[in-house]
Amino acid sequence: MLLNFFIEKLTEEHYPGIQLKKCINFHGMPNGCSKCKDLCPERAITFKSGKIMFDENMCNRCGICKAVCPTQAITVKGLGEENILRTIKDKDNIIFSCSKKNGVGTLKLSCLNGFHSELLAALFILFKDKKFYFNLSRCNDCQISNNSCVFQSSLNIAVDFVKLLEINPQYEIINNEEDLCDLSNENISRRELFSLLKKESSYLAAQTADTIIGSKDNQVSIRRILLKSIEEIEGSHEKAEYDNLPFFGFWNVNNNCDGCGFCQSICLGGAWKVEKKEEKVRVFHNSGKCYNCGICANLCSKKAIIKGTFSVDALKSYTIKYEKNLIVCSICKKKFVPSSEDKKYCTICEKKEALRATISKI
């Protein structure tokens, strides 16, 4: 009975899901975001009352929606990412291919168009001494590829990112499978064969456990993998500043800030943190948690959030962006951030006083 349960878990179909609080449309951003809907090759995604709806009867589980989501709000299990992360170290020749078309390869995803750019960048960093091959030979007659060029775009972004970190990725696009014959048919000894089978069986057991137990969101955290890979880089890049750095957002706070905490409450990645203690208000930002969606800057009523300096060092932890002394309101006695030195009332009491003055004149 237990074996049957394991088999069912490993073979069941997994369709896209959405973490609503991480979706840009959740907070009603002007113009919103429709990348997943626009690029879905099967038109399996629709919007209803601002929410994303997935049609499981139309979905082919290619993973494109997950790959293009700017805040990684879409989750799709079973794309092959877990297998890549578990086995890539043991591969002499890293050949990525599509399992839908049964292409030749040593590592397979459901569809290469579902290869997330952040995961690509992380692999280029972690295995910078290896060469990657991407088998696109069977993409020409594939409906998914004909309707989407997501993989090439993701690859370009990943390459640009790692080059900024002074890493030159080694990769090759394969359009003819005959070029892979010498790479994919590796000769292995009897001992190596049993070792390989043992590793595969161990992976199968681990995958089963992962499926049943799961992580917090039952997904591989691509952002966490990328950040971990950046930590492994040795060199002086941490203090370097950039005009632009893909994937992450770098923000500062100006003196318009009143410490209301609205940015913290709406941030999709938990990048903002506001603390009020020791007679001060402090605003922190963690670029490693920021998806650069711009919701905080667009919706801040005080227009207090502005673009900051791009640096790898800012990805590590929360850094202070704003600090100001709190004063006590003369009326309600609550602490608040004054907009000027002569400010005596908090915003709420100020409005009440203005309303009383207006009524008294009637």
Side-chain angles (χ1 to χ4, degrees):
M1 183 179 293
L2 185 60
L3 178 60
N4 290 335
F5 176 71
F6 284 169
I7 293 173
E8 288 179 7
K9 280 293 182 180
L10 289 172
T11 58
E12 67 182 0
E13 294 289 315
H14 297 286
Y15 294 96
I18 180 76
Q19 301 175 73
L20 285 177
K21 291 186 178 180
K22 289 184 69 174
C23 177
I24 288 178
N25 297 292
F26 181 77
H27 292 292
M29 268 281 287
N31 303 320
C33 174
S34 60
K35 287 185 176 181
C36 57
K37 175 178 177 291
D38 296 340
L39 291 170
C40 177
E42 302 294 341
R43 300 293 183 261
I45 301 176
T46 56
F47 285 177
K48 186 176 182 180
S49 301
K51 294 183 179 180
I52 296 177
M53 308 292 289
F54 298 96
D55 188 333
E56 295 184 359
N57 293 321
M58 298 177 67
C59 176
N60 63 15
R61 299 177 63 254
C62 63
I64 288 177
C65 55
K66 178 180 178 180
V68 301
C69 179
T71 59
Q72 298 181 29
I74 295 178
T75 59
V76 188
K77 290 181 65 177
L79 293 180
E81 294 164 341
E82 299 90 345
N83 188 24
I84 289 175
L85 295 169
R86 288 181 181 276
T87 62
I88 192 170
K89 289 182 179 180
D90 300 319
K91 304 293 183 182
D92 292 327
N93 296 313
I94 304 175
I95 307 170
F96 292 105
S97 66
C98 167
S99 62
K100 288 186 178 296
K101 288 291 183 178
N102 197 29
V104 173
T106 55
L107 290 166
K108 294 190 177 185
L109 276 79
S110 177
C111 173
L112 288 183
N113 280 300
F115 215 141
H116 201 287
S117 55
E118 288 194 17
L119 181 56
L120 270 169
L123 295 179
F124 281 141
I125 296 171
L126 291 171
F127 305 98
K128 57 181 179 292
D129 296 327
K130 291 189 175 184
K131 184 175 181 178
F132 293 174
Y133 299 87
F134 300 100
N135 181 6
L136 305 184
S137 62
R138 303 195 183 191
C139 294
N140 292 331
D141 59 346
C142 177
Q143 181 183 355
I144 298 174
S145 295
N146 288 336
N147 288 305
S148 174
C149 56
V150 174
F151 172 72
Q152 190 60 58
S153 175
S154 297
L155 178 62
N156 292 341
I157 294 171
V159 169
D160 289 343
F161 178 79
V162 297
K163 283 185 175 179
L164 286 172
L165 302 181
E166 299 180 2
I167 292 175
N168 291 313
Q170 304 177 63
Y171 68 95
E172 183 178 341
I173 302 296
I174 303 297
N175 292 307
N176 186 347
E177 281 194 349
E178 293 181 359
D179 298 337
L180 294 172
C181 291
D182 294 335
L183 294 173
S184 58
N185 297 325
E186 298 176 355
N187 294 320
I188 57 176
S189 66
R190 182 182 176 87
R191 178 177 295 180
E192 290 171 331
L193 176 60
F194 281 114
S195 176
L196 179 62
L197 291 173
K198 184 178 180 180
K199 288 177 182 178
E200 289 297 325
S201 61
S202 298
Y203 161 68
L204 185 64
Q207 186 188 43
T208 304
D210 288 348
T211 303
I212 298 170
I213 301 172
S215 59
K216 183 178 180 180
D217 55 3
N218 292 318
Q219 287 289 302
V220 170
S221 176
I222 294 175
R223 173 55 62 91
R224 191 177 298 118
I225 294 167
L226 178 59
L227 289 172
K228 185 65 177 177
S229 69
I230 294 173
E231 290 179 6
E232 300 296 324
I233 302 175
E234 297 180 359
S236 58
H237 69 280
E238 293 184 357
K239 300 298 181 181
E241 297 182 354
Y242 306 91
D243 293 331
N244 187 30
L245 198 63
F247 307 135
F248 305 102
F250 297 79
W251 301 92
N252 283 332
V253 179
N254 61 33
N255 288 327
N256 294 337
C257 178
D258 62 1
C260 67
F262 182 67
C263 55
Q264 177 178 303
S265 67
I266 64 170
C267 182
L268 305 180
W272 289 104
K273 184 168 63 175
V274 179
E275 293 181 351
K276 291 182 180 179
K277 60 182 181 180
E278 299 177 357
E279 309 301 322
K280 291 181 181 291
V281 61
R282 296 180 178 89
V283 180
F284 301 84
H285 186 256
N286 185 335
S287 293
K289 294 179 176 290
C290 181
Y291 294 108
N292 201 28
C293 63
I295 287 180
C296 55
N298 280 284
L299 298 184
C300 176
S301 61
K302 301 294 183 180
K303 302 301 178 185
I305 299 175
I306 57 177
K307 279 290 184 181
T309 303
F310 290 76
S311 69
V312 176
D313 191 48
L315 302 175
K316 292 184 175 181
S317 61
Y318 286 96
T319 56
I320 189 165
K321 297 292 182 177
Y322 179 78
E323 182 179 32
K324 201 164 187 178
N325 291 327
L326 295 168
I327 67 170
V328 177
C329 175
S330 300
I331 298 176
C332 68
K333 307 304 179 183
K334 292 182 179 179
K335 295 178 181 180
F336 72 100
V337 179
S339 58
S340 60
E341 293 182 0
D342 58 346
K343 194 85 167 178
K344 296 182 179 180
Y345 308 143
C346 67
T347 303
I348 295 176
C349 290
E350 191 174 61
K351 289 180 179 179
K352 288 180 179 179
E353 288 299 301
L355 182 59
R356 290 192 184 96
T358 301
I359 294 174
S360 64
K361 293 178 181 179
I362 298 176

